[in-house]
Amino acid sequence: MQVKDNPSTKESFQSELEVEAIDFFVRMMSILGLPRSVGEIYGILYFSESPLSMDEISLRLKISMGSTSQGLKTLRSLKAIRTTYVKGDRKDHYVAETEFRRLFSNFIKEDILPHLDSAADRISSIEKQLNSNPDMNQEFYTTRIEKLKRLTKAGRKLLPALAGLLKI
């Protein structure tokens, strides 16, 4: 069977491929706590042979322009997509970043590490709350707090190293 000779077969294959790709990335993005639309947009861009405008993305995915705009903004902030020039068209067009090591490295540096930095402040606040309330089971809560401290300390050491390794 020659796919090239039968446009409807080729379109059907592309459609099935798109559905599977989108589902794959929707699931991946949900693991990271990101909205479904972010996975859908990344999936369609990842398997698109040419850059797509926001209008094209919205139309192909049948999602609102608002969801498309917000999803593109999120993906840009993660450096998962980039804009590119398309000759003769003034609209922004988008392509997916395909270097997953770079994506994960950026995610660690820009999304996870800042939370670890603020975790130290939150742990300190929890300790103050505990110290100001002598009626609480001090030993139990102190043990739990120490575990949180070890976790954040290990994260601050390991995650930058992991981000560096991923960038290689």
Side-chain angles (χ1 to χ4, degrees):
M1 180 166 116
Q2 292 183 340
V3 173
K4 291 180 183 176
D5 294 339
N6 187 343
S8 64
T9 302
K10 182 178 179 184
E11 288 170 14
S12 175
F13 174 75
Q14 285 176 324
S15 177
E16 289 175 27
L17 177 78
E18 257 182 22
V19 168
E20 288 298 322
I22 289 168
D23 183 57
F24 176 85
F25 286 110
V26 164
R27 292 171 192 261
M28 290 297 292
M29 296 298 178
S30 73
I31 290 169
L32 301 174
L34 296 170
R36 176 181 185 83
S37 59
V38 172
E40 290 173 329
I41 293 167
Y42 186 78
I44 203 149
L45 288 172
Y46 187 83
F47 277 99
S48 178
E49 292 182 58
S50 57
L52 299 175
S53 70
M54 185 168 70
D55 294 340
E56 291 169 312
I57 294 166
S58 178
L59 185 65
R60 285 177 64 180
L61 291 173
K62 296 180 177 77
I63 60 176
S64 72
M65 289 296 281
S67 286
T68 306
S69 176
Q70 189 61 41
L72 290 169
K73 181 179 176 183
T74 299
L75 289 166
R76 276 194 308 265
S77 74
L78 293 171
K79 295 185 176 88
I81 62 170
R82 59 184 163 72
T83 57
T84 189
Y85 172 74
V86 172
K87 186 178 178 179
D89 196 339
R90 296 184 65 188
K91 295 178 185 174
D92 284 338
H93 286 74
Y94 302 91
V95 293
E97 172 61 59
T98 60
E99 289 296 321
F100 292 110
R101 292 184 302 180
R102 186 178 302 137
L103 280 173
F104 287 122
S105 175
N106 287 336
F107 183 73
I108 289 169
K109 281 195 257 175
E110 295 176 17
D111 291 299
I112 297 175
L113 289 176
H115 287 293
L116 284 179
D117 292 339
S118 68
D121 294 336
R122 284 180 272 156
I123 291 170
S124 178
S125 177
I126 293 169
E127 282 181 308
K128 287 177 187 173
Q129 290 284 329
L130 179 62
N131 293 333
S132 69
N133 192 343
D135 296 335
M136 301 195 66
N137 183 345
Q138 298 287 321
E139 184 178 333
F140 172 81
Y141 289 107
T142 300
T143 301
R144 295 292 169 105
I145 291 169
E146 289 305 315
K147 286 184 178 190
L148 288 177
K149 285 180 180 179
R150 286 194 303 270
L151 174 68
T152 56
K153 183 178 178 182
R156 271 193 237 106
K157 287 181 180 178
L158 293 174
L159 288 173
L162 178 59
L165 284 173
L166 289 170
K167 243 186 174 170
I168 293 175

